[in-house]
Every structure is written in C-alpha cells, then in structure tokens.
Amino acid sequence: MTDTSETPDGPGDPGSVRDEEAFHIPDDLAQGLTEFAAVEQLSRGEAICLILREYLRAKGYLKGAPAA
C-alpha cells in the first residue's frame, strides 16, 4: 500500500507526487496506523509525526521536551 494522501505536491506541480516523497507502507503497518490514528483521534499524518517524534526521541536523535 502506498500512502500518498498526505504527501505535499511539489512546487508548481499540483496533483502529482514526486517519487522521492512517496514510500510504501506494508499493509500490516498501514492497518495499525489507521487503528492508532482512530483511537487517538488523529489524522494519519499527525499519527505518523507522533510515532516518529517519540521513536526518534527515545533513540536519542531528537532532543527537547515532548510536544503536548
């Protein structure tokens, strides 16, 4: 499953997604993401950002206080 629904379009290129911005999300992860977003009442994009932020912070790649 390729998720391009929340990927911004390139400048001057409305309606299309550049290859470097598109990525494949395996079906099991996409289902888990959808369920997580629904339970947490977040958009898929917000859910992805939250998951990445917490993971990167836990691994030491992101500094600073957690977002509220």
Side-chain angles (χ1 to χ4, degrees):
M1 170 179 198
T2 301
D3 181 24
T4 59
S5 61
E6 296 186 16
T7 305
D9 295 332
D13 194 18
S16 69
V17 177
R18 298 185 310 220
D19 288 341
E20 66 270 13
E21 293 178 353
F23 62 96
H24 176 76
I25 299 175
D27 290 341
D28 60 334
L29 291 179
Q31 181 62 36
L33 176 62
T34 298
E35 291 175 19
F36 174 77
V39 168
E40 298 297 322
Q41 298 181 342
L42 300 168
S43 70
R44 284 184 64 164
E46 290 169 330
I48 290 168
C49 288
L50 176 62
I51 293 164
L52 284 173
R53 183 179 299 113
E54 293 306 314
Y55 177 84
L56 293 173
R57 184 172 287 110
K59 292 293 188 174
Y61 294 109
L62 186 62
K63 307 297 183 215

